[in-house]
Amino acid sequence: MQRLISDYIDSHLKTLSDLRGSEEDISSMATVCAEALQAGHKILICGNGGSAADAQHFAAELVGRFVADRPALAAIALTTDTSALTAIANDYGYDAVFSRQVAGLAQAGDVLLAISTSGNSMSVLNACEQAASMDCKVIGLTGRDGGALKAHCRALVIAASQDTAHIQEAHIVVIHLLCALIEEQLDWAALQ
């Protein structure tokens, strides 16, 4: 049992350590978000399973607060409206659950944060295509080799692990970094 714990922690630390090469991408993602928010746009976030929870976590940190006591920021997790999710899945198929919401909620200049541990989730990829067609900026978090998501994002962080749990653990670190960087970059006086 002790060996399992040690091996898991070591693997987790290696995945996090591998993020050290992603500083420029993380910074770029934060800047894209901060510039959009500063200009009065919003951030839409999507993902499935654990990535859906990450989408909600990021939206909650922006609308609520991360560290600073500051004005609320416009962020929507496309994973939370069960009526929309189930109606869209029933009427159009699951692959449309996020793209249909993007079509209805997004405006040019908004940002879509697409989260997929494999980089190959069709519901997420379809959301990226819809967002791009509406002149939204698309950024992403993924794992493994990046998958098809690489082709859709202006900035992308890849947690280079084959283990979904470690990819998700790295994603939450990046999400917290994004929150801190966004809070640091915004001109709060101009937002009030």
Side-chain angles (χ1 to χ4, degrees):
M1 186 185 298
Q2 296 300 321
R3 187 70 183 151
L4 175 67
I5 294 168
S6 295
D7 288 349
Y8 189 95
I9 291 170
D10 288 344
S11 181
H12 167 82
L13 292 173
K14 181 183 182 331
T15 302
L16 289 183
S17 179
D18 289 346
L19 286 178
R20 287 202 182 270
S22 301
E23 291 93 343
E24 189 173 317
D25 291 314
I26 295 168
S27 178
S28 177
M29 289 172 69
T31 298
V32 165
C33 291
E35 288 175 352
L37 292 165
Q38 195 74 59
H41 298 292
K42 63 189 163 297
I43 301 173
L44 305 172
I45 313 113
C46 66
N48 294 294
S51 298
D54 289 342
Q56 291 172 229
H57 188 145
F58 187 43
E61 300 285 21
L62 295 177
V63 174
R65 71 178 181 128
F66 180 60
V67 174
D69 191 12
R70 41 100 176 135
L73 299 172
I76 302 170
L78 302 179
T79 58
T80 57
D81 185 340
T82 54
S83 295
L85 290 168
T86 56
I88 295 165
N90 187 63
D91 295 346
Y92 297 97
Y94 189 81
D95 289 350
V97 295
F98 302 131
S99 59
R100 187 80 176 167
Q101 290 184 79
V102 169
L105 297 171
Q107 296 177 331
D110 288 346
V111 175
L112 175 70
L113 172 58
I115 309 173
S116 171
T117 58
S118 69
N120 294 313
S121 170
M122 283 309 301
S123 60
V124 173
L125 296 173
N126 289 341
C128 293
E129 289 178 5
Q130 180 64 45
S133 77
M134 299 173 70
D135 293 324
C136 297
K137 298 170 182 79
V138 179
I139 58 176
L141 294 173
T142 189
R144 299 182 177 88
D145 66 356
L149 190 57
K150 287 189 297 193
H152 294 276
C153 297
R154 67 171 48 210
L156 178 73
V157 173
I158 300 172
S161 173
Q162 297 299 313
D163 187 308
T164 299
H166 293 315
I167 294 166
Q168 291 170 337
E169 291 156 3
H171 285 176
I172 202 61
V173 169
V174 174
I175 285 168
H176 283 162
L177 284 168
L178 291 174
C179 291
L181 292 166
I182 289 166
E183 286 188 352
E184 179 182 272
Q185 291 182 50
L186 287 173
D187 176 358
W188 296 108
L191 285 173
Q192 295 191 28

